[in-house]
Amino acid sequence: MSEAADRATSAGEAPRIGMLGGTFDPVHLGHLRSAVELHEALALDRLHMIPAPQPPLRGRPQVAAEERLALLEAGIGDTPGLYADDRELSRTGPSYSADTLAELRDEYGASARLVMALGEDAFSRLADWHAPERLFELAHIVVMARPGHALKPSARLEELIGHREVADAQALMRSPRGGLLRLTLPSRMAISATAIRNRLQQGQSVRYLLPAAVERAAVARRLYR
Ligand code: ATP
């Protein structure tokens, strides 16, 4: 069990653990500010930010997984509660979130409040993911509002959601898994990695769209040119 789990368990409460997976090609302030506000809104002990080497439902990322992880580490810096987690880098084949959640569940134990967070754009495609029902058997799902990505659930997604939706974080945290919460975090940001890659490719400024350390590293390594 991790240090965070030890601490929470010794305080007599089940640990609250989040996972935010992504391509992070590259990580930006839309990810990082959402991560901080999610950590706060759910009173998480730790939020694992996990780059996928090969996300199953999209084209090959532009930059190698190790580079994306290094940018994520630079972006997180010393931010309390956020953790750049490299566990998917050692896996071969596609990166399935269900496998990652199963690992986290094993590490933190059956009573841990385990949350998989994702933006509305990613959630709208959830029914196409590998073993989507398994996600709810392992964790709660928290959907973060994202500017320009209003959610219109398909019939298959509606079916998957069923009666899982709860009104607030308190209701979600009453059980270790199986719930759905939609959250509108305070600082929604219309920032996407696609727009950042395009800007870098065209030699345009990306200042204040990503952390200064990430901008420096991307420029120094001539990434996304
Ligand atoms: P791309 O433009 O390459 O598709 P992206 O900016 O959507 O990338 P991802 O790495 O694909 O970034 O996103 C990882 C997770 O973070 C997804 O669940 C996504 O919905 C969420 N996310 C990304 N950007 C934001 C944002 N600005 N606000 C809230 N959630 C976000």
Side-chain angles (χ1 to χ4, degrees):
M1 210 187 276
S2 73
E3 212 180 288
D6 281 344
R7 188 159 38 77
T9 309
S10 64
E13 206 199 299
R16 296 174 176 223
I17 305 301
M19 155 182 160
L20 177 61
T23 316
F24 301 120
D25 191 21
V27 67
H28 53 68
L29 291 179
H31 298 124
L32 289 163
R33 187 64 208 169
S34 299
V36 167
E37 292 181 357
L38 183 78
H39 184 268
E40 212 166 64
L42 301 181
L44 297 176
D45 294 293
R46 178 179 267 199
L47 179 62
H48 293 250
M49 297 182 73
I50 311 183
Q54 181 49 69
L57 295 179
R58 55 186 285 158
R60 217 181 150 71
Q62 218 165 303
V63 158
E66 290 72 17
E67 289 272 26
R68 288 182 279 120
L69 174 70
L71 295 180
L72 179 62
E73 285 168 345
I76 290 178
D78 61 359
T79 310
L82 306 192
Y83 172 59
D85 184 333
D86 68 356
R87 71 180 63 228
E88 290 190 4
L89 269 60
S90 51
R91 219 179 277 159
T92 51
S95 323
Y96 294 131
S97 296
D99 296 339
T100 306
L101 286 172
E103 280 182 24
L104 290 169
R105 177 56 76 197
D106 273 355
E107 284 168 33
Y108 287 100
S111 63
R113 274 63 180 135
L114 185 58
V115 167
M116 179 177 89
L118 75 189
E120 266 171 328
D121 56 311
F123 181 68
S124 65
R125 296 190 299 271
L126 193 82
D128 301 325
W129 287 27
H130 173 72
E133 316 75 28
R134 215 172 135 225
L135 301 169
F136 283 111
E137 289 164 16
L138 290 160
H140 295 302
I141 294 187
V142 170
V143 184
M144 303 177 289
R146 186 173 176 187
H149 294 276
L151 179 66
K152 287 187 216 76
S154 63
R156 282 174 63 221
L157 184 56
E158 289 279 17
E159 198 181 321
L160 202 59
I161 294 171
H163 298 288
R164 298 182 179 282
E165 192 160 352
V166 299
D168 54 30
Q170 216 185 349
L172 195 75
M173 292 300 174
R174 280 193 202 114
S175 57
R177 60 194 167 83
L180 173 75
L181 176 67
R182 296 195 203 189
L183 269 187
T184 300
L185 295 167
S187 315
R188 294 171 306 289
M189 291 182 184
I191 301 178
S192 76
T194 303
I196 291 173
R197 290 194 300 274
N198 290 340
R199 294 191 75 81
L200 284 167
Q201 205 158 20
Q202 289 162 19
Q204 294 172 320
S205 169
V206 292
R207 185 67 46 95
Y208 308 129
L209 293 174
L210 26 69
V214 176
E215 182 183 347
R216 274 196 302 275
V219 169
R221 293 173 205 169
R222 299 192 60 75
L223 304 176
Y224 308 104
R225 290 279 154 183

